[in-house]
Amino acid sequence: MVIYPRTEEEIVAIMSICNKNKIAITPFGGQSSVTGALDTLKGGVSLDLTRYFNQVISVNETDMTCTVQTGMFGPAYEEYLNNYGQKYSCGHFPQSFEYSTVGGWVAAKGAGQASTGYGKIEDMVLSLKAITPAGIVETKTYPASAQGWDVYPMFIGSEGSLGVITQVTMKIQKFKPQNTQYASFIFKDFPSAVKAMRTCMQEGIGKPHLFRISDPEETEVAFKTKGFENTWSDKVLKALGYKWGQRCLMFVAVEGEKNHAKNVVSSIKKIAKTNGAFSIGSMPTKKWLEQRYSSAYMREPMMDLGVVTDTVETAVMWSDLIPLWIAVRAYLKKREKTVVMVHISHVYENGANLYFTFLSPAKKGKDMEDYIAYHKGLINTIIKNKGSLSHHHGVGKILAPWMRQQLGEESMQLMQAIKQHLDPNGIMNPGNNLGLKD
Amino acid sequence: MVIYPRTEEEIVAIMSICNKNKIAITPFGGQSSVTGALDTLKGGVSLDLTRYFNQVISVNETDMTCTVQTGMFGPAYEEYLNNYGQKYSCGHFPQSFEYSTVGGWVAAKGAGQASTGYGKIEDMVLSLKAITPAGIVETKTYPASAQGWDVYPMFIGSEGSLGVITQVTMKIQKFKPQNTQYASFIFKDFPSAVKAMRTCMQEGIGKPHLFRISDPEETEVAFKTKGFENTWSDKVLKALGYKWGQRCLMFVAVEGEKNHAKNVVSSIKKIAKTNGAFSIGSMPTKKWLEQRYSSAYMREPMMDLGVVTDTVETAVMWSDLIPLWIAVRAYLKKREKTVVMVHISHVYENGANLYFTFLSPAKKGKDMEDYIAYHKGLINTIIKNKGSLSHHHGVGKILAPWMRQQLGEESMQLMQAIKQHLDPNGIMNPGNNLGLKD
């Protein structure tokens, strides 16, 4: 049963009834989860906030914050900010942007394409209001504080397991797209591209917002689909030593004040060249940004064509990144005729994410069972190579079985104690979500 | 009783004995707390980690991280990093630096003078190990992740109430002091200085590391003690409209790659001038940095001279900053002959801290009782004007009575549930620390 609550009082009332009768509640936003986080394994009530909790409550231009209801979809939120006062942007553009809500971003601990500059969603949220079976947790908004440990971060990444987040106060950014500076590069190989990227993050040159490397296989797929392969330019590149199957694309965009953006791009260019890169101008990055959201819709049509496709992603420290990339690619390639495309798209001083997209022909017969075993081995390979269970997709029900071994018994027990306190009857998004007992 | 444990096994054993016998444990670092956090109201055992838990465990130059034992003092830690490999810095320099430990920084959720660039301690810690009565919580190190909500942040700001933090893995910075660029300004008044500072943080020009404004009263005290008052330069400044009792000093230092640092300083200069500032070169900021740690030792001698002096600090959103500054100054001035010096020293996109230092002649007779009532009214004034209870001193026992009203019943209950899970017998730093029941 899907309920569209109109007020917080209604949510409190529904929660009270469900809590007394031990009926499951699953908070719904845009439902673009790829981790089974919203699979209502225990039936019950789905609380859909997109119909009546979809408004901006207030914008504070002096503080550069926005208080927004969590059922608001990405495009509506961004459009509102773009047109407000001195013009702002939310700064958060996940690939699911068009079909995801503010609440989903927060609940799943997401990241957008500009995260290298603006941070993940947990770096943007300053306070929130959450309705839980144990009461309403509402936190005050400060730029920073030392009032014990903060409680609002527990709801970021809670994936509906603790309560319903009804509103958040978030940082917003100045909307000045005319200032953005772009650059694109080809590197001779993946390690040199990664080294350049790491150097950019560690030398204190200022941060890019979009910062992305495609590994050799993803680079060649991009070249092929864009009709670049075997053009005159491609031949020149190859002659210069940027070889097929080794070379890597890097995309860069820097936002903010124009001179600052220019200076950061200029520093990145220097570091890229020192690491053997060939600068290919601003167009490839701009083109990539234009088609940014379209590739997400490929999965279903591909499956109709008899192609199995999936994605997994992880975060890893710099010193473990190349070994993890090698090990996971090798694992994925064990399945015959598998195309494995990898990119880095969220970058930090101390490490980065790795995002794997893989496609292979569907097998006849018991392919689903095969795939489940294959996926299990894949996650094990990531963990064994020091990757996190997820960087921004979240855990949901699909990755839940790994939580205990990954976090350790004491950390899981601590999470469970928090769950137990806020949701003693285990009604919030039950069914082993996050590996929590209901 | 003070115990100097030699190994984690010893800490586990001591904790087990104390837990069975309900004996209080208070973890000790440098003991520079100003909030009564380490007052052992219930006696018991003080676990001092400075003797045997004072080593760097490892530095990873590729990841730019350091794993360090929490009993290491600031200067030893910084010296170690300055001399390691390609040379690094911890990037965290609180005023207590010389007498505080890594563990104290983390437990009290501190901030250093370069926090505007590098963040507070909670922005530097990537993982930690804590021994609690419920077991050892040890987290893995990732640049970011989405594995449910993280548990390690609960120990940052826990002030000894949850367990003993034995080691942390933190970000480190490149140590390149020769690159640092400095600037200093005089503004005509506090609001224009604050507006310039806010603009610098919100325009996307890159971040300064040290960023500081002294309000008019602190500015005049600085001018007087530095022998600047009534010099020829002072007369010129006054003639230019930078009037006594209104003008404000701003200090700026930008670290990182040299060109980047120059560009950021140049952008700050432009914004400062737009807001009516007079540039006074790099010397005042450099001079201030040289005497940085000495003023902390003034409190005791002042008291011997019959002067009561104290400090309080808060964090506040930009739109509430000036009203809070006015209200708190007015409150403090109610006490006769009180000198009130205020500065902003930790700056964010969305707000900043305010640090109040106040001095007044000690009264005869029941001055202590008077002072307690005065202090109570002061904290009430801060909260009423939308300031946090603390930005970086922490809560301890002195501010504990305000926690419930400040955080709200539901948040306090959630914190209490976490305390209850990790420390069911209430042995960790008991005595209402953080407003938690033991």
Side-chain angles (χ1 to χ4, degrees):
Chain A
M1 181 170 67
V2 180
I3 295 179
Y4 302 89
R6 286 167 195 266
T7 63
E8 287 181 349
E9 290 69 27
E10 283 186 10
I11 298 177
V12 170
I14 293 162
M15 202 170 280
S16 173
I17 292 165
C18 289
N19 199 30
K20 272 180 200 142
N21 297 284
K22 302 198 177 171
I23 297 165
I25 295 179
T26 306
F28 270 21
Q31 301 174 53
S32 62
S33 168
V34 292
T35 62
L38 302 176
D39 296 353
T40 52
L41 302 183
K42 301 210 170 177
V45 169
S46 298
L47 273 190
D48 190 324
L49 273 68
T50 60
R51 198 172 288 177
Y52 302 111
F53 278 83
N54 57 13
Q55 302 295 313
V56 167
I57 295 169
S58 63
V59 175
N60 186 320
E61 295 191 76
T62 304
D63 297 345
M64 279 183 55
T65 56
C66 179
T67 301
V68 55
Q69 292 181 314
T70 48
M72 193 168 200
F73 277 96
Y77 181 46
E78 180 65 9
E79 198 191 334
Y80 186 97
L81 292 174
N82 287 174
N83 292 300
Y84 190 94
Q86 297 298 308
K87 301 190 185 306
Y88 300 90
S89 166
C90 70
H92 183 79
F93 305 99
Q95 198 180 26
S96 63
F97 185 68
E98 294 169 305
Y99 295 92
S100 59
T101 60
V102 171
W105 302 344
V106 175
K109 221 173 178 178
Q113 67 188 28
S115 81
T116 301
Y118 298 130
K120 286 184 69 191
I121 200 76
E122 60 264 39
D123 304 308
M124 299 182 186
V125 174
L126 294 170
S127 64
L128 53 75
K129 188 172 188 177
I131 300 176
T132 79
I136 299 177
V137 175
E138 184 169 11
T139 65
K140 292 178 182 173
T141 309
Y142 301 113
S145 68
Q147 309 183 129
W149 62 96
D150 286 321
V151 301
Y152 75 85
M154 297 175 207
F155 293 91
I156 308 175
S158 63
E159 302 189 10
S161 288
L162 301 180
V164 182
I165 307 164
T166 57
Q167 67 179 56
V168 293
T169 297
M170 293 206 291
K171 299 181 186 181
I172 55 177
Q173 307 298 332
K174 298 258 165 109
F175 180 59
K176 294 185 177 171
Q178 69 280 11
N179 288 358
T180 305
Q181 302 294 312
Y182 305 89
S184 326
F185 305 94
I186 300 277
F187 284 83
K188 288 192 173 155
D189 53 33
F190 192 57
S192 64
V194 170
K195 190 178 167 216
M197 184 177 246
R198 175 169 69 81
T199 305
C200 290
M201 296 306 291
Q202 296 183 337
E203 281 300 315
I205 60 165
K207 282 184 183 174
H209 293 78
L210 167 73
F211 207 16
R212 193 176 165 105
I213 301 173
S214 290
D215 84 338
E217 198 161 344
E218 185 169 289
T219 295
E220 295 311 332
V221 170
F223 279 172
K224 201 172 287 187
T225 55
K226 298 282 179 279
F228 178 80
E229 203 180 50
N230 292 325
T231 58
W232 184 84
S233 306
D234 184 24
K235 284 173 189 167
V236 170
L237 268 184
K238 282 173 182 161
L240 288 169
Y242 298 88
K243 293 179 187 159
W244 187 94
Q246 293 181 22
R247 59 195 178 181
C248 290
L249 269 168
M250 177 187 277
F251 297 142
V252 179
V254 187
E255 305 187 2
E257 189 263 341
K258 200 165 199 165
N259 278 323
H260 172 71
K262 282 183 181 171
N263 291 330
V264 175
V265 163
S266 156
S267 297
I268 291 174
K269 275 186 184 160
K270 268 184 219 154
I271 292 168
K273 283 183 184 168
T274 304
N275 286 281
F278 189 85
S279 174
I280 53 172
S282 59
M283 267 331 252
T285 297
K286 286 182 183 168
K287 289 272 175 204
W288 179 84
L289 281 164
E290 278 168 19
Q291 56 74 57
R292 164 76 176 121
Y293 299 125
S294 57
S295 63
Y297 314 128
M298 293 293 286
R299 186 168 163 177
E300 300 300 317
M302 293 292 265
M303 290 180 103
D304 290 345
L305 291 170
V307 175
V308 174
T309 173
D310 204 353
T311 59
V312 296
E313 44 85 50
T314 185
V316 63
M317 301 299 278
W318 287 121
S319 52
D320 302 317
L321 191 142
I322 298 281
L324 188 147
W325 172 70
I326 291 170
V328 173
R329 271 181 53 81
Y331 176 85
L332 286 167
K333 290 282 185 185
K334 281 185 192 167
R335 188 168 158 126
E336 266 178 70
K337 296 184 190 168
T338 298
V339 175
V340 181
M341 298 179 289
V342 190
H343 59 255
I344 298 174
S345 44
H346 307 280
V347 197
Y348 305 86
E349 289 94 325
N350 314 101
N353 81 317
L354 275 171
Y355 196 103
F356 299 85
T357 304
F358 47 101
L359 307 90
S360 59
K363 292 182 196 166
K364 302 279 173 191
K366 56 183 182 97
D367 191 47
M368 199 57 201
E369 283 160 49
D370 275 7
Y371 183 74
I372 288 169
Y374 180 64
H375 180 266
K376 189 176 171 182
L378 169 58
I379 304 301
N380 287 338
T381 305
I382 288 173
I383 290 179
K384 197 179 148 196
N385 285 278
K386 302 187 183 169
S388 68
L389 262 186
S390 166
H391 169 267
H392 63 272
H393 281 181
V395 175
K397 279 133 196 141
I398 290 179
L399 297 176
W402 281 271
M403 280 289 275
R404 196 160 293 265
Q405 80 172 81
Q406 173 69 352
L407 268 59
E409 185 59 31
E410 287 77 9
S411 289
M412 276 310 284
Q413 283 179 5
L414 178 49
M415 288 179 75
Q416 189 70 52
I418 292 161
K419 164 86 173 169
Q420 175 66 25
H421 171 73
L422 291 175
D423 178 24
N425 292 331
I427 62 165
M428 291 309 308
N429 198 5
N432 196 36
N433 201 52
L434 289 177
L436 295 169
K437 288 174 217 139
D438 307 326
Chain B
M1 181 169 67
V2 180
I3 295 180
Y4 302 89
R6 287 168 195 265
T7 63
E8 287 181 349
E9 290 69 27
E10 283 187 10
I11 298 178
V12 170
I14 293 162
M15 202 171 279
S16 173
I17 292 165
C18 289
N19 199 29
K20 272 180 201 142
N21 298 284
K22 301 197 178 172
I23 297 165
I25 295 179
T26 305
F28 270 21
Q31 302 173 52
S32 62
S33 168
V34 292
T35 62
L38 302 176
D39 296 353
T40 52
L41 302 183
K42 301 210 170 177
V45 168
S46 298
L47 274 190
D48 191 324
L49 274 69
T50 60
R51 198 172 289 177
Y52 302 111
F53 278 83
N54 58 13
Q55 301 295 312
V56 166
I57 295 170
S58 63
V59 175
N60 186 320
E61 295 192 77
T62 304
D63 297 346
M64 278 183 56
T65 56
C66 179
T67 301
V68 55
Q69 292 181 315
T70 48
M72 193 168 201
F73 277 96
Y77 181 45
E78 180 65 8
E79 198 191 335
Y80 186 96
L81 292 174
N82 288 175
N83 293 301
Y84 190 93
Q86 298 298 308
K87 301 190 185 306
Y88 300 90
S89 166
C90 70
H92 183 80
F93 304 99
Q95 197 179 27
S96 63
F97 185 69
E98 294 169 306
Y99 295 92
S100 59
T101 60
V102 171
W105 302 344
V106 175
K109 221 173 179 178
Q113 67 189 26
S115 80
T116 302
Y118 298 131
K120 286 184 69 191
I121 200 77
E122 60 264 40
D123 305 307
M124 298 182 186
V125 174
L126 294 170
S127 64
L128 52 75
K129 188 172 188 178
I131 300 176
T132 79
I136 299 177
V137 175
E138 183 169 12
T139 65
K140 293 179 181 173
T141 309
Y142 301 113
S145 68
Q147 308 183 130
W149 62 96
D150 286 321
V151 302
Y152 75 86
M154 297 175 206
F155 293 91
I156 308 175
S158 63
E159 302 189 11
S161 288
L162 301 180
V164 182
I165 307 164
T166 56
Q167 67 179 56
V168 293
T169 297
M170 293 206 291
K171 299 180 185 180
I172 55 177
Q173 307 298 332
K174 298 257 165 110
F175 180 59
K176 294 185 176 171
Q178 69 280 12
N179 288 358
T180 305
Q181 303 294 311
Y182 305 88
S184 326
F185 305 95
I186 300 277
F187 285 82
K188 288 192 173 155
D189 53 34
F190 192 57
S192 65
V194 170
K195 190 178 167 215
M197 184 177 247
R198 175 168 70 80
T199 305
C200 290
M201 296 305 292
Q202 296 182 336
E203 281 300 316
I205 60 166
K207 282 183 183 176
H209 293 79
L210 167 73
F211 206 16
R212 194 177 165 103
I213 301 172
S214 290
D215 84 338
E217 197 160 344
E218 186 169 288
T219 295
E220 296 311 332
V221 169
F223 279 172
K224 200 172 285 185
T225 55
K226 299 282 178 279
F228 178 80
E229 203 179 50
N230 292 325
T231 58
W232 184 84
S233 307
D234 183 24
K235 284 173 188 166
V236 170
L237 267 184
K238 283 174 182 160
L240 288 170
Y242 298 88
K243 292 178 187 160
W244 188 94
Q246 293 181 24
R247 60 195 178 182
C248 290
L249 269 167
M250 177 188 277
F251 297 142
V252 179
V254 187
E255 305 187 2
E257 188 265 341
K258 200 164 199 166
N259 278 323
H260 172 71
K262 282 183 180 169
N263 291 329
V264 175
V265 163
S266 156
S267 297
I268 291 174
K269 274 185 184 160
K270 268 184 219 154
I271 292 168
K273 282 183 184 169
T274 305
N275 286 281
F278 189 85
S279 175
I280 52 172
S282 59
M283 268 331 252
T285 297
K286 286 182 183 169
K287 288 272 176 206
W288 179 83
L289 281 164
E290 279 168 19
Q291 56 73 57
R292 164 76 176 122
Y293 298 125
S294 57
S295 62
Y297 314 128
M298 292 293 286
R299 186 168 162 176
E300 300 300 317
M302 293 293 265
M303 289 179 104
D304 291 345
L305 290 170
V307 174
V308 175
T309 174
D310 204 352
T311 59
V312 296
E313 45 85 49
T314 185
V316 63
M317 301 298 278
W318 287 120
S319 52
D320 302 317
L321 191 142
I322 298 282
L324 188 147
W325 172 69
I326 291 170
V328 173
R329 271 181 54 81
Y331 176 85
L332 286 167
K333 290 281 185 185
K334 281 183 189 167
R335 189 168 158 125
E336 266 177 70
K337 296 185 190 168
T338 298
V339 174
V340 181
M341 298 178 289
V342 190
H343 59 255
I344 298 174
S345 44
H346 307 280
V347 196
Y348 305 86
E349 289 95 324
N350 314 101
N353 81 317
L354 275 171
Y355 195 103
F356 299 85
T357 304
F358 47 101
L359 307 90
S360 59
K363 292 182 195 166
K364 302 279 174 191
K366 56 184 182 98
D367 191 46
M368 198 58 201
E369 283 161 50
D370 276 7
Y371 183 74
I372 288 169
Y374 181 63
H375 181 266
K376 189 176 171 183
L378 169 58
I379 304 301
N380 287 338
T381 306
I382 288 173
I383 290 180
K384 197 179 148 195
N385 285 278
K386 302 186 184 170
S388 68
L389 262 186
S390 166
H391 169 267
H392 63 271
H393 280 181
V395 175
K397 280 136 194 137
I398 289 179
L399 297 177
W402 280 271
M403 280 290 274
R404 196 160 293 266
Q405 79 172 83
Q406 173 69 352
L407 268 59
E409 185 60 30
E410 287 77 9
S411 289
M412 276 309 285
Q413 284 180 5
L414 178 49
M415 288 178 74
Q416 190 70 51
I418 292 162
K419 164 86 172 167
Q420 175 66 25
H421 171 73
L422 291 175
D423 179 24
N425 292 332
I427 62 165
M428 291 309 308
N429 198 5
N432 196 36
N433 201 52
L434 289 177
L436 295 169
K437 287 173 216 139
D438 308 325

